[in-house]
Amino acid sequence: MNARLDHRNPLVFDTHELGRRPGALQRLSRSVPAPSDLGITGVIAVPESAPVELELRLESVMEGVLVSGTARATAEGECVRCLEPLTREVAADIQELFSYHDVDDRGRPKAEPGDDAEDEDTLFVEDGLFDLEPVLRDAVVLALPMQPLCQEDCAGLCPECGVRLADEPGHHHDAVDPRWAALQGLAETVKDGEKDDMDGAGFGTDEKQEK
């Protein structure tokens, strides 16, 4: 086996049974544990080791093996408006061609893996094996919402105190126009001053009466 691919990895598939005759077809169903960081980091993702259900169709073509099908899993994240935890069922479409390395008339590769003669973005069948993980990762990211919501009409959080508005539909704060805030403070100061003057005046009158 090629040292780069481990046939024991559940996301590594063996194509030897499929063969290289164009038109040959193989259907596979496999439940695999999710690899780490399968999703949008910090937003929503399929938890590591959570089950991912694969339904795949492997077809032999002249250039390599065409892989198509779906991946289904449950993703977890939090609402971008109210920050409540949420779960989403995700169904990701998969379609990718895993190419054979170019070979000469003796069946030897014309270019080694990673050689500049081959496209860096091309995925290859290595000794009859291919790794589905990078394809699965890209497909799941595309299928997940970039801004997940607990519900479409989520009202979010109160910008004043942070309370979840869905829990308190009538929640509000009395708005004070900042242009009047200074005058309101001045008015309160004047009232306090008048009160002190009245208290002082009353105290003086009482003293005179006592004398």
Side-chain angles (χ1 to χ4, degrees), residues 83-105:
L83 307 182
E84 285 292 300
L86 56 80
T87 60
R88 284 288 180 273
E89 297 301 316
V90 56
D93 293 327
I94 293 172
Q95 185 165 11
E96 187 68 40
L97 175 65
F98 289 84
S99 301
Y100 297 129
H101 290 290
D102 291 336
V103 296
D104 57 23
D105 54 4

Side-chain angles (χ1 to χ4, degrees), residues 145-169:
M146 296 295 292
Q147 295 187 317
L149 297 173
C150 59
Q151 53 189 20
E152 291 299 324
D153 60 348
C154 175
L157 303 176
C158 173
E160 296 290 335
C161 64
V163 69
R164 187 169 181 261
L165 297 178
D167 297 333
E168 298 185 25

Side-chain angles (χ1 to χ4, degrees), residues 110-187:
K110 292 181 180 178
E112 293 297 325
D115 195 304
D116 291 339
E118 295 180 335
D119 189 344
E120 293 182 356
D121 295 329
T122 301
L123 298 175
F124 291 99
V125 176
E126 305 282 357
D127 288 345
L129 304 175
F130 69 84
D131 185 2
L132 191 67
E133 181 174 336
V135 178
L136 175 64
R137 193 178 299 281
D138 290 345
V140 169
V141 169
L142 289 175
L144 289 172
M146 296 295 292
Q147 295 187 317
L149 297 173
C150 59
Q151 53 189 20
E152 291 299 324
D153 60 348
C154 175
L157 303 176
C158 173
E160 296 290 335
C161 64
V163 69
R164 187 169 181 261
L165 297 178
D167 297 333
E168 298 185 25
H171 179 82
H172 72 282
H173 294 271
D174 293 331
V176 177
D177 192 326
R179 293 173 297 179
W180 296 103
L183 292 177
Q184 183 178 356
L186 179 61

Side-chain angles (χ1 to χ4, degrees), residues 58-77:
L58 279 55
E59 182 179 359
S60 178
V61 295
M62 290 293 295
E63 299 86 355
V65 176
L66 179 63
V67 179
S68 57
T70 59
R72 300 181 184 277
T74 301
E76 298 179 359

Side-chain angles (χ1 to χ4, degrees), residues 1-3 5-8 12-22 24-26 28 30 58-60 64-65 67 98 100 124-131:
M1 292 295 178
N2 192 303
L5 297 180
D6 184 352
H7 69 283
R8 295 169 298 182
V12 170
F13 290 79
D14 192 330
T15 66
H16 286 97
E17 184 177 338
L18 177 67
R20 296 186 62 162
R21 180 173 58 84
L25 183 66
Q26 185 178 10
L28 297 173
R30 181 181 296 185
L58 279 55
E59 182 179 359
S60 178
V65 176
V67 179
F98 289 84
Y100 297 129
F124 291 99
V125 176
E126 305 282 357
D127 288 345
L129 304 175
F130 69 84
D131 185 2

